Amino acid sequence: MFIHQECQRETSGEWKTVEELQQKVCKLESILLTGTALDVIVLKDNNKLTRLYTGMSTCDSFFAIVEYLEPKAKEMIAWNSSKTKELNVCGKLSGPRCFSSMSIANQLFSVLIRLRLGLLAADVCIRFKISKSMYSRLFTTWICFLSKELRLIFPFPTRQQVNNWMPRSFKKHFPNTRIIIDCYEIECQQPSGLVNSSVTYSQYKSRNTWKILVGCTPSGLVSFVSEAWGGRISDREITERSGLLDMLNPGDMIMADRGLTFRNL
């Protein structure tokens, strides 16, 4: 009797495994039938692939973000290059459900995979089997949308939060460090207008660039990213005008390159 029960348990366990495999096969077949080369379903219960494609630590984290963003994302209006003013009003950018051929999860997935792996837009289009024009609008729309929405759930870390994750070396030698900053320059095309060409010309890089002030905590978490400025602006001026100093408290220490002089700000 005991042997018979054990056999039944093993058999039921095998059947359960077979059913799970059949379900996965059905899901993969549905993906092939819809013509989607890559689908967010590959991240389900797979933390390794989630880290590879999105940079998030777990698949639960990714789907939690999707759940948080989905209600507003459904009302998103696609960015239109002919209406540049709408670019500043993120989440209110012409026609809701403009990317209805893709689920919200897949839209976010297609954006994160490009940011994480540095893929060309054409490569992403092939992977998701969508047109390049559609993805160009989708990517710009989502970048504007995320830049607004993610600030609400990832605010500038408090003094206590920085201290809780501070490495031992900083606690010993630089215990009051709140943020480490540096300016990052990205090469851009030379504008046709003389004024814009002058504003974006960087003496340091000897070419036209955008300059961005980036800050991170002592533990390495990126905690501040400024707006993009023309490469002509100095590091001191971008620090002063970026709004970073307004986020700090008396006694906070800023660690920066020697060339960035702002002691008297």
Side-chain angles (χ1 to χ4, degrees):
M1 186 66 180
F2 176 75
I3 296 175
H4 179 65
Q5 289 177 346
E6 287 296 324
C7 291
Q8 283 184 332
R9 290 176 184 172
E10 291 180 3
T11 305
S12 63
E14 291 175 356
W15 277 112
K16 186 177 180 180
T17 303
V18 171
E19 289 176 357
E20 290 176 351
L21 291 174
Q22 288 176 339
Q23 290 176 359
K24 289 184 179 180
V25 169
C26 290
K27 289 179 180 178
L28 292 173
E29 286 179 346
S30 66
I31 292 173
L32 292 175
L33 290 174
T34 56
T36 304
L38 186 60
D39 192 275
V40 73
I41 197 173
V42 301
L43 304 183
K44 195 69 176 177
D45 301 323
N46 195 323
N47 294 335
K48 187 175 181 179
L49 281 182
T50 302
R51 286 191 293 271
L52 171 66
Y53 285 135
T54 71
M56 296 188 183
S57 57
T58 65
C59 62
D60 291 338
S61 300
F62 172 80
F63 288 107
I65 292 291
V66 171
E67 184 179 357
Y68 171 79
L69 296 174
E70 191 164 12
K72 293 183 180 180
K74 286 181 178 179
E75 302 301 321
M76 252 188 338
I77 300 175
W79 177 77
N80 190 336
S81 59
S82 64
K83 299 179 181 179
T84 53
K85 290 183 179 180
E86 294 182 354
L87 185 61
N88 295 325
V89 187
C90 187
K92 300 292 181 183
L93 298 169
S94 69
R97 299 180 296 279
C98 48
F99 309 121
S100 56
S101 59
M102 296 178 69
S103 67
I104 298 298
N106 269 328
Q107 290 179 37
L108 178 59
F109 184 30
S110 70
V111 172
L112 294 182
I113 193 173
R114 185 183 182 191
L115 296 176
R116 173 65 172 172
L117 301 179
L119 301 176
L120 296 176
D123 188 355
V124 179
C125 293
I126 293 172
R127 292 170 185 257
F128 287 87
K129 293 192 175 180
I130 56 178
S131 68
K132 192 172 181 179
S133 60
M134 173 185 167
Y135 183 69
S136 177
R137 294 178 67 207
L138 183 153
F139 185 80
T140 304
T141 302
W142 269 92
I143 291 298
C144 295
F145 177 63
L146 292 174
S147 71
K148 301 294 183 182
E149 293 299 322
L150 294 185
R151 290 178 185 178
L152 302 176
I153 56 177
F154 297 108
F156 190 68
T158 64
R159 169 82 264 173
Q160 186 60 45
Q161 289 174 326
V162 173
N163 288 342
N164 290 342
W165 295 95
M166 186 174 288
R168 292 180 181 177
S169 57
F170 273 84
K171 286 184 178 180
K172 181 179 180 180
H173 300 288
F174 311 103
N176 296 325
T177 304
R178 180 79 178 273
I179 191 169
I180 305 167
I181 62 173
D182 197 10
C183 284
Y184 177 67
E185 292 191 63
I186 305 171
E187 185 175 1
C188 66
Q189 291 181 329
Q190 182 177 354
S192 56
L194 292 178
V195 175
N196 291 334
S197 179
S198 175
V199 168
T200 57
Y201 186 79
S202 170
Q203 294 287 348
Y204 179 69
K205 295 289 186 179
S206 299
R207 54 180 180 267
N208 296 85
T209 66
W210 293 113
K211 182 179 284 189
I212 302 167
L213 180 67
V214 181
C216 70
T217 64
S219 61
L221 173 71
V222 175
S223 57
F224 179 83
V225 180
S226 73
E227 300 291 336
W229 298 73
R232 183 179 179 179
I233 193 172
S234 67
D235 291 357
R236 174 191 169 89
E237 188 176 0
I238 194 174
T239 302
E240 186 176 10
R241 299 173 62 181
S242 65
L244 171 63
L245 301 181
D246 297 330
M247 300 179 179
L248 303 177
N249 300 322
D252 288 341
M253 181 184 291
I254 302 176
M255 185 173 287
D257 184 84
R258 288 182 179 180
L260 211 167
T261 56
F262 55 87
R263 291 182 179 275
N264 60 338
L265 287 181

